[in-house]
Amino acid sequence: MSGTAADRAHAPADPTRASADNAHASADDPVRAPRVALISATPTAMAPAVAGLAEEFPAAEPWSLLDDRLLADAPQDGPLPPALVDRMRRLIGHALAGGADGVLLTCSLYGSVTETVDTPVPLLAPDTAAFERALALSSGTGRVLVLASFETAMRDSVARFSAASAASAASEASAASAASVAAASAGVGSAVAAPAAVGSAASGSGAEVVGVVAPDAFDAAREGNLPALRDALRDACLPHLTGADVVLLAQYSLAPAAASLSTALGVPVVSGPQAAAAALRSALTGSPL
């Protein structure tokens, strides 16, 4: 990503605004697999992201990009500094310049960057699709455990998932209210039942979100010790499990334990890599989720 002073002087001001022609230089090649750039802030997220594509979008060609200081340089609290946002934006621009057909950020702390850039290809935050899947499994108002291996990741994911849940509940309430008004205007006899549903949806702000930290999971994930990872996650969840509808993993590094953790807990476990890969497959091929 380096170059001469002349090269930098003539570089576009915003590298994420690469042209669609450049990003899809070979898009009309019928044998070229869709190239999906996976931008990671920690090495432990890379293998789960690739595995998610292999499971949900095997036709894709994964391209892993890593800046292993993005996580270490991020503040413990507060928003990302502009310098870190710019670093992620440059990585996105590098992916587009290299012909990526889709881009997935694998670090939840950088998910908000996707809202600040305009790209000619699908650009996904790490857990947007996972949030949608968890809300569906909890019917939007159930109990969701948001599980992380360190406090900052848990707080960040809880805040963003809670916002997504509240937005979903508000949207459903608005739709129900509109349907009730439409039915009443049309003279439908059963329309009087609709406001009760509206009241139920509006009585809360969405799902009940419980943040859980499993500190022993951090080293287990880094060492690739799957049994230890599963056990650490299970033990952290058990005190909060009563009434839980679903567990949402807040980090890609925890995804390898998703299936075994679901078996151990007896509830669905949603991981970002699989959900995001399925969303990219739908966006790039038109296939249903």
Side-chain angles (χ1 to χ4, degrees), residues 202-214:
S203 62
S205 59
E208 177 190 358
V209 185
V210 178
V212 179
V213 176

Side-chain angles (χ1 to χ4, degrees), residues 3 12 28 82 109 166 188 199 228 233 249 251 255 272 274:
D28 55 357
L109 291 177
V188 178
L233 297 175
L249 300 181
Q251 299 151 261
Q274 283 75 20

Side-chain angles (χ1 to χ4, degrees), residues 145 147 212 214 217 227-241 247 249 257 260-266:
L145 304 186
L147 180 59
V212 179
L229 177 60
R230 177 205 59 218
D231 292 349
L233 297 175
R234 178 201 62 205
D235 293 348
C237 285
L238 285 176
H240 311 278
L241 193 60
V247 173
L249 300 181
S260 59
L261 180 62
S262 179
T263 299
L265 297 177

Side-chain angles (χ1 to χ4, degrees), residues 21 29 52 59 73-74 84 137 160 168-169 172 184 199 218 227 237 253 256 273 282:
D21 289 341
D29 181 352
D73 290 349
L84 290 183
L137 288 170
R160 290 183 297 105
S168 176
E172 290 181 7
F218 187 87
C237 285
S253 58
S282 179

Side-chain angles (χ1 to χ4, degrees), residues 25 120 128 190 198:
T128 300
S190 61
V198 174

Side-chain angles (χ1 to χ4, degrees), residues 96-189:
L96 296 176
D101 298 294
V103 180
L104 171 63
L105 308 189
T106 72
C107 180
S108 60
L109 291 177
Y110 286 85
S112 60
V113 178
T114 62
E115 302 170 6
T116 71
V117 299
D118 182 23
T119 65
V121 303
L123 169 65
L124 271 65
D127 42 22
T128 300
F131 287 175
E132 294 173 356
R133 186 172 291 183
L135 285 171
L137 288 170
S138 67
S139 300
T141 55
R143 181 179 173 91
V144 179
L145 304 186
V146 177
L147 180 59
S149 66
F150 60 97
E151 188 76 18
T152 304
M154 182 276 287
R155 289 200 305 267
D156 173 74
S157 291
V158 163
R160 290 183 297 105
F161 179 70
S162 297
S165 176
S168 176
S171 177
E172 290 181 7
S174 177
S177 178
S180 175
V181 171
S185 298
V188 178

Side-chain angles (χ1 to χ4, degrees), residues 2 10 13 30 50 55 58 62-64 77 82 115 130 141 150-151 170 186 190-192 208 222 252 254 280 282 289:
S2 62
H10 292 89
V50 172
E55 181 178 336
W63 177 21
S64 295
D77 293 292
E115 302 170 6
T141 55
F150 60 97
E151 188 76 18
S190 61
V192 292
E208 177 190 358
R222 185 179 57 188
Y252 275 40
L254 309 181
L280 281 167
S282 179
L289 288 171

